[in-house]
Amino acid sequence: MIVNRIRDLREDADLKQKQIADYLDCDQSLYSKYERGERVIPLEIVVKLAQYYQTSVDYLLGLTDVTTPYPRKR
């Protein structure tokens, strides 16, 4: 599920894999493997993607269809 969500979010934002890979500080080929489900996405990358797309980790993981992020703890 996460592979579909991160690809859809990237495509909806008209971004290239290279742009997201640069944000994550990884190679485009590694990010491509994340999107294709060929590599397990580390938790810290999932969190960074949720922050980048301003959504929740639960949304990325398919646990909810609500895209709004949770309020931040203060």
Side-chain angles (χ1 to χ4, degrees), residues 16-44:
K16 303 287 185 197
Q17 287 182 343
K18 174 80 170 113
Q19 292 171 284
I20 301 302
D22 287 346
Y23 170 77
L24 298 173
D25 196 28
C26 70
D27 292 334
Q28 181 272 329
S29 61
L30 176 59
Y31 182 75
S32 178
K33 290 176 184 175
Y34 291 155
E35 278 196 5
R36 292 194 312 265
E38 295 176 5
R39 291 284 301 265
V40 174
I41 305 173
L43 181 58
E44 60 269 13

Side-chain angles (χ1 to χ4, degrees), residues 55-66:
T55 191
S56 69
V57 170
D58 282 356
Y59 175 77
L60 292 180
L61 296 176
L63 299 174
T64 182
D65 290 329
V66 178

Side-chain angles (χ1 to χ4, degrees), residues 3 9 13-16 24 28 30 34 40 45-46 48-50 53 61 63-65 67-68 70 73-74:
V3 296
L9 285 167
D14 291 324
L15 297 169
K16 303 287 185 197
L24 298 173
Q28 181 272 329
L30 176 59
Y34 291 155
V40 174
I45 298 295
V46 175
K48 285 180 83 171
L49 287 169
Y53 290 118
L61 296 176
L63 299 174
T64 182
D65 290 329
T67 58
T68 308
Y70 301 120
K73 278 186 160 181
R74 293 183 186 242

